[in-house]
Structure formats: structure tokens, C-alpha cells
Amino acid sequence: MDELKKRIREEGIVIDSDILKVDQFLNHQIDPVLMQHVGEAFAEAFVQSSITKVLTIESSGIAPALMTGLKLGVPVLFARKKKPLTLNTSILTTQVYSYTKKVHNSIFLEKAMINSEDRVLIIDDFLANGEAAMGLVRLIEMAGASVEGIGIVIEKSFQEGRSKLDRAGYAVYSLARISSLADHQVTFIDND
Ligand code: G4P
């Protein structure tokens, strides 16, 4: 997605050769028009998959997921990282390992929100090691629903996540694929 790559090039800040800061439009301040275009791109990519629900994880996945759900005309569900007081009915939960923080965290969904008829599209802001995406896959499979695809705004292709999801057989569609963040430069896989 050229518009997204341009914003990454112009506003992204490379931190530590493996972390990209995009707080101007995705992770802190959110650009609604860019997110609308992101949602349109995901909807176009998965329009043939008869999606019934979009699933993401709080917090930065919510904006792109919401715009995708709006365009596809389906509800958007987000996994919680803390069990809220109101989530005291039947829940689905799994552990997600964070490579950046070196800890396991539980994520939660209310069971009633998803059922075996659902055809689910996972959306997330970043794909690094794929742990969050695989956690969402497990929650969907616990509900007996199907994973129809995974849409990622920014994929760091030099980390494990993409190959992990490919090996597991999921259809991954990333709008910007970064092959390297070395020397404080963002290099995209298709080199444009
Ligand atoms: P993984 O899920 O792919 O295995 O990723 P990892 O554990 O390494 O990353 C944990 C958190 O860091 C996730 O956000 C993920 O989106 C974010 N992250 C990973 N790489 C980058 C990066 O290069 N830049 C930025 N900006 N974020 C990155 P989170 O902790 O769940 O935060 P949030 O969704 O509440 O913002």
C-alpha cells in the first residue's frame, strides 16, 4: 500500500534496528483517513472470504480492525489483555508470550461473542514474532470458528512471525512488508 509506505518513510522512526515507531499515525495518534484506506485495502483483499467477524487485540489493532469491519459490514471484536469486571460469564483465554517484554500474558474473549458459524478475519497493527496472532488463532479455534485470514498493517518480515503463520497455513496479507530496519533505514520487501 503506497500511501502507508510513504507515511512510514516520512514519519517512522527506527529504534534499535528492530523496532519502528509510528506513533504519528498508528500507535499513539491515529490518522482516521489513513485507517479508512487501510480498512478498505483489507476489505478488498478478503471480500471473497464471506467474513462474519473481525478480531483484533487491544489496543493498537482496534483502529485498523474497526475500519475493516465498517467496510465489510461485520462486527469487530477485540481480545482483552486484562479481564474486566464485566467479563464474568464464560470466557475463552490463552497465554501470549511477549518477546519484547519477555513475559507471558493472558488474553480474553467472552465466549458468547463468537461461535462455530463465524468466519473470522484477524487484523493487527504489527507482525513481529507472531505470538499475538497465534494467540488470536487459538481463541478462534477454541470457539470452533474458522480463521479465514490475517491482515497486518506493518509486517517486519525479518522476524519470525510471517514464516510461522505461513507454515501454519494461514492466509496472511500485509500492507507494508519491511525487510530491514538496519542503519536506521526502512527497507521494504518490494524495494519501492
Ligand atoms: P508478536 O505479537 O508479533 O510476537 O510481537 P511482540 O510480542 O514482539 O510485540 C509485543 C508488542 O509490541 C505488540 O504491541 C506489538 O504490536 C508491538 N510491536 C512489535 N514490534 C513493533 C515495532 O516494531 N513497532 C511498534 N510500534 N510496535 C511493535 P502491544 O504491546 O500489544 O501494544 P499495543 O497494541 O497496545 O500498542
Side-chain angles (χ1 to χ4, degrees):
M1 185 181 168
D2 290 343
E3 180 187 2
L4 173 64
K5 288 198 265 185
K6 185 168 183 283
R7 296 292 293 271
I8 293 171
R9 252 188 240 107
E10 289 174 359
E11 294 166 52
I13 299 167
V14 179
I15 299 171
D16 285 348
S17 87
D18 65 350
I19 299 289
L20 175 69
K21 181 172 170 173
V22 283
D23 283 5
Q24 288 295 332
F25 57 86
L26 183 60
N27 293 126
H28 196 18
Q29 176 169 265
I30 298 168
D31 183 330
V33 174
L34 179 64
M35 286 307 117
Q36 188 178 20
H37 298 162
V38 160
E40 286 165 0
F42 285 138
E44 193 184 339
F46 291 101
V47 72
Q48 307 294 344
S49 304
S50 307
I51 302 300
T52 63
K53 197 155 285 191
V54 172
L55 175 65
T56 189
I57 181 165
E58 61 178 345
S59 56
S60 299
I62 295 175
L66 181 65
M67 292 308 191
T68 307
L70 181 67
K71 189 70 187 172
L72 287 171
V74 300
V76 176
L77 180 61
F78 62 93
R80 303 270 199 167
K81 292 179 178 166
K82 283 204 177 114
K83 196 173 150 221
L85 279 176
T86 49
L87 200 67
N88 51 13
T89 51
S90 197
I91 56 167
L92 301 171
T93 183
T94 189
Q95 296 246 307
V96 169
Y97 181 70
S98 168
Y99 280 90
T100 39
K101 293 168 195 152
K102 310 269 182 263
V103 288
H104 282 91
N105 296 306
S106 296
I107 61 171
F108 306 90
L109 277 186
E110 186 169 329
K111 220 173 188 170
M113 295 292 177
I114 186 164
N115 64 59
S116 59
E117 306 290 295
D118 276 318
R119 298 169 60 85
V120 183
L121 172 61
I122 293 173
I123 297 290
D124 210 356
D125 57 333
F126 268 91
L127 177 60
N129 294 293
E131 295 294 312
M134 287 305 293
L136 294 175
V137 164
R138 287 194 294 279
L139 293 181
I140 294 166
E141 291 178 347
M142 278 176 208
S146 67
V147 179
E148 292 302 315
I150 302 175
I152 300 292
V153 181
I154 303 175
E155 171 187 312
K156 292 187 293 178
S157 312
F158 55 91
Q159 291 181 298
E160 267 295 290
R162 177 63 190 245
S163 49
K164 213 182 268 179
L165 297 177
D166 282 346
R167 276 199 305 277
Y170 298 106
V172 182
Y173 181 69
S174 303
L175 301 182
R177 303 185 70 196
I178 293 173
S179 58
S180 165
L181 291 173
D183 304 321
H184 294 270
Q185 292 285 335
V186 181
T187 308
F188 294 103
I189 271 200
D190 45 12
N191 247 344
D192 56 11

